[in-house]
Each structure stands twice: as structure tokens, then as C-alpha cells.
Amino acid sequence: MRRDLAQLVCAVAGVTLGVLVPRLSLGPQVDAGPVVTLLFTLGFGVISLVSIIYSMLFLVIQFSATTFTPRLGLFRDDPIVWRTFAFTVGVFVFCITSGLAVGARRATVSTLVPGAAMVLTLVALALMRSLQTGAFRSIQLGHSLTAIAARAHRLFDDLYVRPYAPGTSPDPDPGPDPAAGTTTVLWSGPAVVIQQIDVRTLVGAARERDCSIAFLLPPGTTVSRGMTLAEVTGGDVPEAVLRGALETGVERTFDQDPDLPFRLLADIALRALSPAVNDPATAVESLDRIEDLLNRLVGRELSIGHFTDGSGRLRVTVPVPDWERYLRTAVDDVLYAATGSPMALRRMHDLLAGLAERAPESRRGPVRDRLRWVDRAGRERYPLAWPGGASPGGASRAPRRA
């Protein structure tokens, strides 16, 4: 909506200025004929920048999809793209409108008109330069990984505000008695991805009907016709109300999907470790960012899916990833793929070893399980390159295979 509104605002502003500015009599006056020619030239010259914008979009999207992951749309969603497009449209509309206004009614015109057109054109070129720089950065691995991590940091800081302290979080009032009956709400629309859930609206609807709503699908999940969307206890909430509180689309977004950054980084690492690419150094860089994000979450309270009303009664629950889920998404797939590369497997070992040291005791079990698996795989596959994999005399301590 912001993209469409920006284009509309710039177009309306271009028409308004194109009609009003030629009527001003400020400053020196010049012949209208050359000014009209200049305005039309600038207008059609600026609008040609739109083709360059789309060319860069296609280039970056195709490169990112084939080199990194098809789910990476950072440059496509960057505000500089649609803001540059909207401003370029506004400059085009201004130049054409003011050219028609000057040519139709005036023999002379203020130098303010060509001056304004030149200034707007220079601003459009500056935006174009920023867009070009952003496009070049978006096809670089380091910038893409940093952009994913930066968005993940903002998302984690918004969602997980409390430190992890087992047993200190008070349980909310459970809300309506389950004996009052539970109604299952099925999804009746086409297959879509749940991008955001408007919890505030749902809490108000549940409080109004004195019931509780338990979503069974978290943001980032694809829901198709006939799937169970939620269970309502103690009352009845129509599917239309639940669907009205959802923002859906065709792909996952960063808004309420904290599992997405790990999915993107793991996809980049998996593609780099595939036999067709065989680029373990890229996988190691992805693991660096994965370790950073896991360290950011290991000490935070992840159980944030319970929402109460003003009286403290539980009204809405939303499934959210737990520590085990984050490890599965971030580590497991890459862990098995990394067995074909000693560089990637050693980096995975260091990641898990450091995470096991920093994690609270209640969260160390899953990390240690994976660390033991990696250590065993490293000793068996790379006894000479793995720490402790060979004896001082050179004989491998790993068991021999037939």
C-alpha cells in the first residue's frame, strides 16, 4: 500500500506543480519555446530511467535466486526501489504538465520553471545512483548476509525482550473452562502464507465473546483449504473474524517470522555445500551469521505466544519457535551437508562448542547431542585433520571401516 500510495502522491504532486509553477512571475523571464522543448526532453529522458530500474531489479533478483536462495528478496523490497520509481514518475508528470501549460498560454515564462525541472532531474539522478549502489551491494555475499542478520536483530529485539529465566514466568489465567466446548475453525480460502497475525484485534474479539483463541499455525506457515487454523474455547468466533486479523501473501516475510533468517542463512550454506557449487568458504560465512543469531537468542525467553486481556485472562495463543526448533532450522540440514567438507564441519564444531558453553544448562542438551555427532563424524571422516582424530604416532584412533 505504501508503494502504491507513494506513486499516487508523486503523480498528483507533479500535476499540481506543473500547473501552478508556470503561473508564477518570479525572477527573470525567458522565451517559452526553448523552455517547452527542454521540459519535454527532460520528462521523456527521466521516464527512461524506469527501464533501468526494472533491468536492475531483474538482474539482482535472478542473481540472488540462483546464487544465494530464491527466498531472498531484500533488494526487491528495499524502499529505495519504489521511492525512486515514484519520484521519477512525479518528475515526468511535472515536466509534461508544465510543458503543456507553458506552451498553451504563455510567450514568456519565469526561469523558475526550467530551474525546478533541472533540480528535480538531479534529485532523480541522485536516487538512481543510490539505487545502483544498492543493486551492486545486493549481489555481494557479505552485504546480503549482513542485511539478513540486521533484520533478524531488529526482529529478535522486538519479540524477545525478556531474559531467559526458567520457572520465573507466572502462568496467566487460563481463561474459559475447556468444558465449555471447543470449536475448530478451518481455513476455507486458497493456499497462502500467513505473514502476520493482528493479536490486538484477536484479543479484543475474544474478550468481547468471552472465549479464547488458540492458533495452530504460526506466521511463516502455508495454510491451504481444509487445514485447521485455530481452536476457539468457550465461545464462537467466525472464520471471517480470524481471517480479517491475518495478513497473508505468497511468501514469508520478516515481520513476525523469527525462523525465516535461519532458513535463509541455512539455504545459502546448503547451496554452497552442494556438489554443483562446492564453495565451503561461503558456507562458513553463513555459519558465522547463524552463530551470531543463535547467541543472540540463547539467553532470551522464547515463550512469547500467550496474550492476555486487561484483566490477565488468557485470550490468544500463537505457536512460536522454541530453542529446539531454532536449532533444527539453523543447524541440522547444514550439519549433514557439512560432512563432505572438513572446513565446514570444523566450523560447525566450533559453533556448537561455543554455543554449548554460553547456553543455560536447560538448553545445552540439544546442543551437546549435535556436538557429539559432529565430533564423531569428524574423527571418522577426517582423522588427520580433526583435533584428536589421530594418535601422536600418526595412527588414527578412529575405527576402521570395511
Side-chain angles (χ1 to χ4, degrees):
M1 184 173 63
R2 290 198 305 270
R3 289 193 290 265
D4 296 338
L5 184 60
Q7 297 171 20
L8 177 61
V9 169
C10 288
V12 172
V15 172
T16 303
L17 293 176
V19 172
L20 296 180
V21 172
R23 297 183 179 182
L24 301 177
S25 300
L26 303 176
Q29 303 289 309
V30 294
D31 291 339
V35 172
V36 173
T37 302
L38 174 65
L39 291 173
F40 280 106
T41 301
L42 290 177
F44 286 105
V46 168
I47 200 63
S48 64
L49 295 177
V50 174
S51 62
I52 301 178
I53 295 175
Y54 279 111
S55 297
M56 285 192 294
L57 273 176
F58 294 147
L59 169 66
V60 173
I61 291 175
Q62 181 180 10
F63 182 88
S64 298
T66 56
T67 305
F68 301 141
T69 169
R71 281 161 288 280
L72 186 61
L74 298 177
F75 179 72
R76 180 201 60 198
D77 298 331
D78 195 329
I80 189 63
V81 176
W82 47 268
R83 287 173 181 170
T84 302
F85 179 82
F87 189 83
T88 303
V89 171
V91 174
F92 168 75
V93 173
F94 168 77
C95 291
I96 300 303
T97 303
S98 58
L100 293 175
V102 170
R105 298 182 180 180
R106 295 178 175 271
T108 60
V109 67
S110 172
T111 54
L112 181 63
V113 176
M118 291 295 295
V119 170
L120 293 175
T121 302
L122 290 176
V123 174
L125 292 176
L127 290 174
M128 194 65 201
R129 171 61 179 169
S130 299
L131 182 66
Q132 185 182 35
T133 304
F136 289 155
R137 288 199 304 265
S138 296
I139 61 177
Q140 296 174 353
L141 174 65
H143 174 78
S144 298
L145 296 178
T146 301
I148 296 172
R151 291 199 179 189
H153 290 170
R154 292 195 295 269
L155 178 61
F156 295 164
D157 291 341
D158 290 339
L159 293 180
Y160 305 118
V161 296
R162 293 185 290 117
Y164 178 59
T168 60
S169 300
D171 295 330
D173 188 329
D177 186 356
T182 299
T183 303
T184 300
V185 180
L186 303 180
W187 180 263
S188 62
V192 293
V193 176
I194 300 176
Q195 296 175 338
Q196 293 189 63
I197 299 177
D198 187 352
V199 175
R200 188 185 301 273
T201 298
L202 292 174
V203 169
R207 183 177 61 248
E208 179 181 349
R209 295 169 172 82
D210 192 23
C211 63
S212 64
I213 304 172
F215 269 88
L216 303 183
L217 302 174
T221 304
T222 300
V223 56
S224 57
R225 187 183 303 274
M227 291 182 61
T228 302
L229 179 64
E231 293 181 347
V232 181
T233 302
D236 184 20
V237 179
E239 183 201 1
V241 175
L242 298 182
R243 293 183 62 174
L246 300 180
E247 182 175 333
T248 60
V250 297
E251 60 186 359
R252 299 169 69 175
T253 65
F254 283 87
D255 299 304
Q256 292 182 358
D257 189 359
D259 198 47
L260 177 59
F262 292 105
R263 180 71 273 157
L264 294 175
L265 293 173
D267 285 350
I268 295 174
L270 289 172
R271 186 179 293 265
L273 292 173
S274 65
V277 178
N278 192 23
D279 183 12
T282 294
V284 168
E285 291 190 46
S286 298
L287 290 174
D288 292 340
R289 310 300 174 139
I290 290 175
E291 181 178 26
D292 171 60
L293 298 187
L294 288 174
N295 287 334
R296 206 174 185 90
L297 292 179
V298 70
R300 300 196 184 186
E301 178 59 58
L302 304 180
S303 300
I304 59 171
H306 297 77
F307 303 92
T308 59
D309 57 15
S311 62
R313 301 194 69 185
L314 181 63
R315 293 300 183 184
V316 176
T317 59
V318 177
V320 293
D322 57 8
W323 179 242
E324 181 76 21
R325 168 64 183 272
Y326 281 126
L327 284 178
R328 286 200 304 269
T329 303
V331 172
D332 286 1
D333 292 337
V334 183
L335 186 149
Y336 291 110
T339 55
S341 167
M343 178 193 301
L345 197 60
R346 284 198 303 268
R347 183 64 186 90
M348 180 66 74
H349 178 275
D350 295 340
L351 184 157
L352 293 172
L355 195 60
E357 293 179 358
R358 288 181 288 269
E361 184 60 35
S362 58
R363 290 181 174 175
R364 289 180 181 175
V367 180
R368 288 170 174 168
D369 292 341
R370 290 162 172 81
L371 180 59
R372 285 192 291 267
W373 191 95
V374 170
D375 198 46
R376 182 171 61 252
R379 289 197 305 268
E380 292 178 354
R381 297 179 64 92
Y382 310 106
L384 297 179
W386 199 258
S391 64
S396 172
R397 294 202 302 261
R400 293 182 176 274
R401 292 188 175 185

